[in-house]
Amino acid sequence: MKTTTLREFKPKTHEIKQKSNKITLNSIENVETVFQRFLRTRKSYGVVEKTITAYTSHFNASAKHFDTKKDINQLTKDDMENMIISMREYGLSPNTIRSYTITLRAFLNWCKQEGYSVPPLAKYKGEDIIKETYTDEELKALLKKPNLKKVRFPEYRTWVIINLLVNCGCRASTIRSIEIRDLDLPNNIIHARHTKNKKALVIPLCSEMVSIIEEYLSIRGGESEDFLFCDEYGGELSENALRCSVKRFNKSRGIKKTSIHLFRHTFAKIYLIDCGGNAFTLQKLLGHSTLDMTRHYCEIFNAEIAKGYDKVSPLTQLNLKSKKLKMK
């Protein structure tokens, strides 16, 4: 009889492999999602809606040239450079590309502040374009006062607006936001409280402009809180209504140019060239936050370089020295 030797019983142990539950932040956020956060932040800072719209438009246009679904932290310098190349090959103008990159640079700078790892985006060089302006002949036609016995209110109102644009070169948005209580006609000024950069702007008025506004008020009427320039029923004048009104008025005077902003360029040119104005005063008149844009006006409308040039022109001096030939 065989004896069975009992082996020492060892209970079977089950090796438990415990998975490490490492807690990590899910950092996969695509460019598009982060850009929406950027817009919300800008809105919370009080950036005007028009700027937010421009940001969105520029980003959407740029999105055709790089992958906005990509993880924001995986963006590379090559992505940005290839985007610029794609824009150029697509036929976008240098100034359009510059506008898009200004928005993207603002976005990427914000991303860095938020802790994202994003590549740099170099400034894109645009082209200096001589700003088109209204000629003296065109201004003469536009500033001719309409017959108040025959004209309707919208046309008369637009004539007053054009006079004000030539007087001070303010923005269309500023024109629309002026309230009757903002007028200080005894001191020849308007206190514009609603401007693009949200800074109060003092608009000086010449004596002729004061007289024009006084007559306009006698016809327009209204309360102190009402908008100075209104529609036919006394309501707020919309951006589109103002644009269309100026367009109709200009065409009725035989002027093909219809841009409201063109009056701003025209004011800057006349102020610098004909009136001998300086950059610092022009900056205040136009309501620029910095001298950058004002300096640009000074460069393209350089009056100083042409003043008295006959005295220093080599051609003039040589002709003066040459002997005058007489007919025999």
Side-chain angles (χ1 to χ4, degrees):
M1 183 177 177
K2 293 183 179 179
T3 57
T4 304
T5 53
L6 297 175
R7 290 179 295 176
E8 185 180 355
F9 175 75
K10 293 182 180 180
K12 189 175 182 181
T13 58
H14 297 277
E15 186 178 353
I16 301 175
K17 294 181 180 179
Q18 190 171 10
K19 294 181 180 178
S20 59
N21 295 320
K22 185 177 180 181
I23 301 174
T24 58
L25 291 176
N26 184 9
S27 60
I28 301 177
E29 292 182 276
N30 64 37
V31 177
E32 193 174 278
T33 301
V34 178
F35 184 77
Q36 294 305 315
R37 283 190 54 215
F38 166 72
L39 291 182
R40 288 196 298 271
T41 302
R42 283 291 176 267
K43 287 181 180 180
S44 70
Y45 288 169
V47 174
V48 296
E49 196 60 37
K50 196 169 185 178
T51 301
I52 298 296
T53 301
Y55 281 158
T56 303
S57 174
H58 291 173
F59 180 81
N60 290 339
S62 301
K64 298 176 182 178
H65 304 279
F66 80 109
D67 185 9
T68 58
K69 300 296 184 182
K70 190 173 184 177
D71 180 358
I72 186 74
N73 292 300
Q74 298 300 317
L75 271 182
T76 65
K77 186 179 178 183
D78 284 344
D79 290 327
M80 296 294 94
E81 290 177 349
N82 289 334
M83 176 192 70
I84 298 296
I85 293 171
S86 175
M87 288 178 176
R88 293 183 62 170
E89 292 177 346
Y90 190 72
L92 298 182
S93 71
N95 288 345
T96 298
I97 297 175
R98 179 175 61 182
S99 296
Y100 292 169
T101 55
I102 287 173
T103 294
L104 292 175
R105 279 168 56 82
F107 169 54
L108 293 175
N109 287 336
W110 174 84
C111 287
K112 286 181 181 178
Q113 295 173 1
E114 293 294 305
Y116 294 103
S117 177
V118 292
L121 178 59
K123 289 183 179 180
Y124 192 83
K125 188 175 182 180
E127 293 178 338
D128 280 339
I129 298 175
I130 302 298
K131 303 290 186 182
E132 185 181 27
T133 60
Y134 289 102
T135 65
D136 290 348
E137 291 74 20
E138 289 170 334
L139 289 176
K140 186 177 180 180
L142 292 172
L143 295 176
K144 184 179 179 181
K145 186 176 181 179
N147 187 334
L148 298 187
K149 294 181 180 180
K150 298 180 179 180
V151 74
R152 293 176 59 217
F153 175 74
E155 183 179 347
Y156 171 58
R157 177 208 60 214
T158 305
W159 175 78
V160 176
I161 289 174
I162 289 176
N163 273 269
L164 184 57
L165 289 169
V166 176
N167 170 86
C168 61
C170 56
R171 296 182 176 93
S173 57
T174 302
I175 290 284
R176 292 176 50 244
S177 65
I178 296 173
E179 298 175 1
I180 294 176
R181 61 180 174 178
D182 297 332
L183 299 173
D184 185 0
L185 299 184
N187 290 310
N188 290 32
I189 57 175
I190 296 175
H191 296 281
R193 293 174 292 170
H194 305 285
T195 60
K196 181 180 178 181
N197 55 22
K198 296 194 173 183
K199 293 182 180 179
L201 176 67
V202 175
I203 301 174
L205 303 173
C206 65
S207 299
E208 185 177 352
M209 192 68 235
V210 171
S211 299
I212 290 173
I213 292 178
E214 286 176 340
E215 182 183 44
Y216 170 77
L217 281 174
S218 68
I219 297 173
R220 187 250 183 270
E223 303 298 327
S224 62
E225 294 82 8
D226 291 339
F227 290 107
L228 177 62
F229 299 111
C230 58
D231 60 22
E232 278 188 282
Y233 305 98
E236 181 179 1
L237 190 64
S238 68
E239 181 180 356
N240 185 59
L242 175 58
R243 182 170 55 249
C244 292
S245 181
V246 171
K247 183 177 180 178
R248 283 194 299 269
F249 183 89
N250 287 17
K251 287 188 173 181
S252 71
R253 298 293 177 100
I255 309 301
K256 294 181 179 180
K257 301 170 188 171
T258 60
S259 168
I260 299 176
H261 204 72
L262 217 59
F263 287 105
R264 191 167 170 84
H265 299 327
T266 304
F267 170 81
K269 180 181 179 180
I270 294 175
Y271 178 80
L272 290 171
I273 296 178
D274 296 343
C275 304
N278 62 77
F280 293 103
T281 305
L282 182 62
Q283 178 190 2
K284 293 179 180 179
L285 290 172
L286 294 179
H288 289 150
S289 299
T290 67
L291 268 173
D292 291 344
M293 189 59 198
T294 314
R295 191 181 296 113
H296 180 63
Y297 278 128
C298 292
E299 289 173 355
I300 62 175
F301 299 138
N302 197 331
E304 294 300 325
I305 198 171
K307 287 180 179 178
Y309 192 65
D310 279 347
K311 296 179 181 179
V312 295
S313 167
L315 179 61
T316 302
Q317 297 305 316
L318 287 170
N319 285 335
L320 287 174
K321 290 178 182 180
S322 63
K323 293 182 179 180
K324 187 176 181 181
L325 298 176
K326 295 181 178 180
M327 295 291 292
K328 292 182 180 180

